[in-house]
Amino acid sequence: MTTLVIEDAKIIDGNRLTRAYIVIEDEKIKSIGSKPPSHATHRIDAHGKIVLPGLVDGHAHLHDPAFTNREDFTTGTMAAAAGGVTTVVEMILSTPVDTVDRVREKIEEGTRRSLIDFSLHAGMMNQKNLQNIPEIANLGVRSFKTFTCKPYYADDHTLMSLMRETSMNGCILNVHAEDEAIANENLAKLQAARRTDSMAFAKWKPNIAEARAVEKIVDFTKGIDARLHISHMSTGEGVAIVKKAKREHVRVTAETCPHYLTFTRKDMRKQGPYLKMNPSLKGPKDVRALWDGLRNGTVDIVTSEHAPGTREEKEIGRTDIWKAWGGVPAIETMLPVLLSEGVNKRRISLPTLQRVCCENPAKVFGVYPRKGVIQAGSDADLVIVDLKIKRKVRAEDLHFKVGWTPYEGRSLKGWPIVTIRRGQLLYDDGQVVAIPGGAKFLPMVF
Ligand SMILES: [Zn+2]
């Protein structure tokens, strides 16, 4: 049997860093000691470097059979590996994943083509497919997605039905929360004024749209005792509502994404359609509230919300923002952005980063303690990071398919240097060294 030892690493123990020798056997962490073990067949010297659990990305669009020009399981998970992400919960894009057959197809595709272990969200859920929830849950896919707005609008009765059905089956309901009525009202005004510029998009669904929808679904959840997860939260109002709900012991968790922590709508003036995403970017107050939310535990997790569109799908928005693809590539830059803008700029601590990127997402999406933690018995998914490396982001160095990034030219300090999945080297010194086929589907366990 091979024994791999990660030597002289710094790992997080509570709120401090401790020196550790991580012993890996049979894809698992066998032990963690403070001294070198007597026996090792392979060694990786991590001297002076931080070692985190491989990141668990709870929301990334990697594979839609209808849009493999944007991304697929292989390119998306190559990018993930290079970004220190070793587990992904793949999110539906346009092609529904709402029947047992569709879920099985996606599991097969992921197992064949992914480099990292994965789980799946099912959706987009509505009144018609909610009857499939028990069967899908039996396959281990226990996380479902719905919307309070177009393009997958679920009315209030449907939302409550979905909460009841997911709750009865011990599942979690993810909601894209923006108010449909406010969006429709604003869209009518913007269309009447013939607005097609980037800033019009930012006006379409303002803070109040997210606030109203989050408040509504939190209130619905109270009566049903469902497990609610708010996808990609972008506003300070959302943070405040979730904070209050948590004080009242509502079973709600919330996520935000690197782009909502680093850009504001002002950046759209420069990057235009390339920063079009749903929800849209907000203001500096919201950015501060989201970082605060991560620090104080209101915002549970950071997900990449990786949703790349091609250059053509973005460029078309220069003349008409409504025609542009909404979404950005993000899975590979998530960790460097959080190390640089979060840890190195002292907005969050390293233990907070580990909590919101590893431990919490593993717990929220039912793969803990197999993933998201460095402890004996867990999968040996690890990322070695160097907090001191400073490098400019260049799309040509990144691995996802679309060949552009909203961080182009930005200097980031703090990068992953080695990524290991179940004891196997995936990424080393700038190179993805694994090939597809070794991935495992992870049934969610709650
Ligand atoms: Zn999404």
Side-chain angles (χ1 to χ4, degrees):
M1 186 190 294
T2 57
T3 304
L4 170 66
V5 181
I6 314 294
E7 297 195 311
D8 201 8
K10 286 185 193 162
I11 62 167
I12 295 161
D13 179 14
N15 274 323
R16 58 189 190 91
L17 288 169
T18 168
R19 192 175 183 204
Y21 291 78
I22 305 167
V23 181
I24 298 165
E25 269 180 22
D26 227 4
E27 305 192 340
K28 303 268 183 202
I29 297 172
K30 183 158 185 278
S31 62
I32 300 153
S34 57
K35 292 195 189 87
S38 51
H39 162 78
T41 49
H42 299 79
R43 296 166 203 273
I44 293 175
D45 185 6
H47 176 69
K49 307 285 194 295
I50 312 277
V51 177
L52 300 170
L55 271 66
V56 178
D57 186 357
H59 183 163
H61 305 271
L62 297 185
H63 176 74
D64 187 315
F67 295 102
T68 49
N69 56 328
R70 293 176 183 154
E71 201 69 285
D72 61 51
F73 260 121
T74 299
T75 53
T77 56
M78 283 172 75
V85 175
T86 54
T87 302
V88 65
V89 189
E90 210 278 339
M91 180 63 88
I92 317 99
L93 193 60
S94 304
T95 307
V97 183
D98 61 350
T99 63
V100 164
D101 286 348
R102 279 279 165 78
V103 170
R104 285 210 175 106
E105 278 166 25
K106 200 130 176 182
I107 293 173
E108 259 168 47
E109 186 70 8
T111 310
R112 211 158 52 83
R113 310 248 314 146
S114 178
L115 269 73
I116 66 172
D117 292 350
F118 67 100
S119 201
L120 299 175
H121 299 281
M124 306 299 186
M125 301 313 290
N126 53 45
Q127 200 63 249
K128 280 191 204 123
N129 59 19
L130 72 84
Q131 62 183 22
N132 299 340
I133 289 174
E135 279 187 318
I136 293 173
N138 276 340
L139 295 177
V141 174
R142 310 183 76 86
S143 177
F144 295 83
K145 177 85 186 280
T146 194
F147 276 58
T148 62
C149 56
K150 281 199 270 293
Y152 302 104
Y153 173 69
D155 64 22
D156 291 356
H157 175 232
T158 302
L159 286 169
M160 286 188 270
S161 307
L162 286 169
M163 285 177 183
R164 218 175 305 111
E165 198 62 25
T166 49
S167 167
M168 274 173 3
N169 287 282
C171 298
I172 184 166
L173 185 65
N174 298 248
V175 184
H176 177 125
E178 293 186 285
D179 186 80
E180 178 67 0
I182 292 172
N184 289 340
E185 172 65 16
N186 287 338
L187 188 61
K189 277 189 212 157
L190 292 161
Q191 281 174 339
R194 296 182 189 283
R195 291 279 302 269
T196 54
D197 56 297
S198 290
M199 297 323 283
F201 181 74
K203 286 200 153 79
W204 176 36
K205 293 174 178 174
N207 288 44
I208 179 90
E210 182 171 285
R212 282 210 48 168
V214 171
E215 193 149 44
K216 177 176 85 175
I217 53 175
V218 163
D219 282 343
F220 288 173
T221 309
K222 286 179 193 169
I224 299 168
D225 198 31
R227 267 193 67 196
L228 172 67
H229 181 73
I230 298 161
S231 297
H232 44 53
M233 215 162 64
S234 65
T235 66
E237 286 87 341
V239 177
I241 295 161
V242 170
K243 192 171 189 181
K244 183 166 167 279
K246 286 187 168 183
R247 274 205 304 264
E248 294 166 1
H249 305 291
V250 177
R251 294 208 295 168
V252 59
T253 48
E255 80 187 35
T256 192
C257 316
H259 26 276
Y260 302 120
L261 295 164
T262 46
F263 295 111
T264 66
R265 62 174 80 84
K266 262 193 177 168
D267 294 299
M268 265 193 107
R269 290 188 200 280
K270 216 166 111 199
Q271 295 206 45
Y274 285 91
L275 279 177
K276 179 182 173 183
M277 62 190 73
N278 293 297
S280 60
L281 291 166
K282 304 300 190 302
K285 259 195 203 162
D286 301 292
V287 172
R288 279 197 298 275
L290 291 165
W291 283 113
D292 285 347
L294 289 174
R295 266 197 309 276
N296 66 32
T298 305
V299 181
D300 301 84
I301 67 176
V302 177
T303 67
S304 72
E305 234 274 279
H306 184 71
T310 63
R311 278 181 198 277
E312 297 73 48
E313 288 173 316
K314 287 297 197 180
E315 279 297 323
I316 194 170
R318 293 218 185 261
T319 46
D320 183 348
I321 192 66
W322 305 105
K323 288 185 179 155
W325 168 248
V328 293
I331 198 163
E332 191 165 353
T333 44
M334 173 163 66
L335 179 56
V337 164
L338 292 173
L339 289 171
S340 180
E341 307 307 294
V343 175
N344 272 325
K345 293 193 175 161
R346 299 185 184 284
R347 291 187 176 106
I348 54 170
S349 65
L350 259 181
T352 297
L353 184 142
Q354 179 165 301
R355 190 163 46 79
V356 300
C357 289
C358 311
E359 187 184 326
N360 284 353
K363 285 178 176 166
V364 169
F365 297 116
V367 296
Y368 186 90
R370 181 169 175 186
K371 305 290 188 185
V373 61
I374 300 177
Q375 69 179 27
S378 292
D379 281 358
D381 287 13
L382 302 165
V383 52
I384 305 178
V385 305
D386 189 329
L387 275 171
K388 295 194 184 102
I389 294 179
K390 209 169 167 182
R391 204 191 302 149
K392 270 193 180 157
V393 180
R394 297 189 312 173
E396 62 189 90
D397 298 332
L398 303 174
H399 296 81
F400 40 72
K401 225 178 226 184
V402 295
W404 63 272
T405 163
Y407 299 98
E408 185 71 41
R410 192 189 276 222
S411 183
L412 297 179
K413 189 178 170 194
W415 289 81
I417 50 175
V418 170
T419 308
I420 294 164
R421 184 224 55 211
R422 282 184 279 110
Q424 192 196 333
L425 206 57
L426 296 184
Y427 174 77
D428 185 16
D429 194 22
Q431 299 294 323
V432 174
V433 294
I435 50 162
K440 281 189 182 164
F441 165 69
L442 305 165
M444 295 177 181
V445 181
F446 294 126

